[in-house]
C-alpha cells in the first residue's frame, strides 16, 4: 500500500506509480498537477529516488511563497553587495541542486522575468546570480508542480508557452482523495500509527 513514501493502492494511484517508474530513470522535465494536499512533493521525491540522480541532492523551493526579488536570489544566488543585506556571496537552489533534482512547487506563480531566466536554465543549463556579470553552469533535472491549470495561464498570457512546453515534457496528474476514497482507511491507519509512535502508545485504534 506504500510506494516511495506515498500511501495508496487505488488504481488511479497505481497508474501514477507506473508513470514514476517509467519517467524516473529518464532526465525529462516533469510537471505534477493536482489540488493542494494531493502529495505533489512526495511524487517529486519519488521521481528523484527512481532516477540516476538519487545519490545527489533533491532541493525544493516554493515559487509562490516568496516575493520576486527574494525568489530570484533564492533560485540563482547572489553576490556580495548586490543589494542591501547581501553581506556575502550566496549559492542559490539551482547551484545547490547541481547533479541532482530541483523541485519547483507552485511554478505557475513565477513572474515573467523569472520565467525567462528559468527558460535559459532549461535550454542552456546556465544562469547568473543576482549582481553577477559571469554565468554559472549547472546540471539539474527540473520537476515542477502546480495546483493551477498551466495551459489556461498560457492562453491568458500569464505563462510563457515555450517555458510550458519545456517544463511539461511529462505531465503527471494527481487525483484528489475524493476520487480515491478506498485509500482513506489506509491513510487514516498510517497517520494513526505515526501518532501512536510519537506518543509512545501502542494498540491505538480508530473508533
Amino acid at each position: 500500500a506504500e510506494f516511495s513514501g506515498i500511501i495508496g493502492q487505488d488504481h488511479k494511484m497505481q497508474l501514477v506509480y507506473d508513470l514514476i517508474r517509467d519517467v524516473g530513470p529518464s532526465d525529462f522535465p516533469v510537471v505534477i498537477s493536482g489540488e493542494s494536499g494531493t502529495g505533489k512533493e512526495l511524487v517529486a521525491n519519488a521521481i528523484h529516488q527512481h532516477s540516476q540522480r538519487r545519490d545527489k541532492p533533491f532541493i525544493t523551493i516554493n515559487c509562490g511563497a516568496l516575493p520576486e526579488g527574494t525568489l530570484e536570489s533564492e533560485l540563482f544566488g547572489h553576490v556580495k553587495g548586490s543589494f542591501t543585506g547581501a553581506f556575502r556571496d550566496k549559492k542559490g537552489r539551482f547551484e545547490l541542486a547541481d547533479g541532482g533534482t530541483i523541485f519547483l512547487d507552485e511554478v505557475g506563480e513565477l513572474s515573467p522575468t523569472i520565467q525567462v531566466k528559468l527558460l535559459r536554465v532549461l535550454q542552456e543549463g546556465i544562469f547568473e546570480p543576482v549582481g553577477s556579470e559571469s554565468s554559472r553552469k549547472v546540471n539539474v533535472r527540473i520537476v515542477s508542480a502546480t495546483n493551477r491549470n498551466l495551459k489556461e495561464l498560457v492562453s491568458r498570457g500569464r505563462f510563457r508557452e515555450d517555458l510550458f512546453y519545456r517544463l511539461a515534457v511529462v505531465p503527471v496528474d494527481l487525483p484528489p482523495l475524493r476520487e480515491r476514497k478506498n485509500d482513506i482507511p489506509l491513510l487514516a491507519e498510517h497517520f494513526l500509527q505515526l501518532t501512536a509512535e510519537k506518543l509512545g502508545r501502542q494498540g491505538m485504534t480508530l473508533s
Side-chain angles (χ1 to χ4, degrees):
E2 182 176 327
F3 177 87
S4 293
I6 308 164
I7 308 293
Q9 57 188 22
D10 185 275
H11 77 280
K12 289 185 178 178
M13 292 308 292
Q14 297 294 337
L15 294 174
V16 170
Y17 303 157
D18 288 345
L19 197 50
I20 291 169
R21 286 189 198 97
D22 287 345
V23 79
S26 76
D27 244 2
F28 295 132
V30 178
V31 166
I32 305 161
S33 300
E35 296 174 21
S36 294
T38 44
K40 294 186 287 292
E41 186 167 353
L42 285 173
V43 171
N45 204 336
I47 289 169
H48 175 70
Q49 294 306 328
H50 281 77
S51 76
Q52 309 298 321
R53 299 172 180 264
R54 69 181 70 88
D55 297 326
K56 300 292 185 180
F58 174 79
I59 304 288
T60 297
I61 186 159
N62 186 325
C63 303
L66 298 167
E68 183 182 335
T70 311
L71 180 61
E72 185 176 356
S73 167
E74 281 295 321
L75 285 171
F76 306 115
H78 61 249
V79 296
K80 181 180 175 182
S82 54
F83 54 85
T84 307
F87 300 120
R88 58 182 176 84
D89 289 0
K90 180 190 171 187
K91 286 184 178 180
R93 305 289 172 100
F94 269 96
E95 207 163 344
L96 295 172
D98 194 20
T101 305
I102 189 164
F103 174 54
L104 305 175
D105 201 4
E106 294 190 39
V107 74
E109 306 298 325
L110 290 178
S111 71
T113 308
I114 295 188
Q115 286 181 38
V116 172
K117 293 175 187 288
L118 179 57
L119 184 63
R120 189 168 177 226
V121 179
L122 276 155
Q123 287 174 331
E124 304 168 40
I126 58 175
F127 66 92
E128 281 95 33
V130 177
S132 174
E133 292 177 5
S134 60
S135 297
R136 302 200 182 163
K137 197 161 186 65
V138 285
N139 175 358
V140 294
R141 182 189 198 167
I142 298 179
V143 177
S144 40
T146 181
N147 55 13
R148 305 180 68 180
N149 186 326
L150 285 186
K151 274 189 178 173
E152 192 179 297
L153 292 180
V154 169
S155 66
R156 284 164 44 198
R158 298 276 307 279
F159 202 85
R160 292 181 65 100
E161 189 173 23
D162 47 4
L163 178 58
F164 169 74
Y165 285 114
R166 284 271 180 176
L167 286 174
V169 175
V170 181
V172 177
D173 292 313
L174 274 188
L177 198 52
R178 65 180 173 276
E179 290 179 10
R180 51 182 186 105
K181 291 179 180 173
N182 296 341
D183 285 343
I184 292 174
L186 281 176
L187 283 157
E189 187 62 34
H190 171 72
F191 289 120
L192 182 68
Q193 289 308 314
L194 290 180
T195 304
E197 285 169 22
K198 200 177 289 183
L199 297 175
R201 288 176 60 187
Q202 290 309 309
M204 287 176 73
T205 58
L206 292 165
S207 65

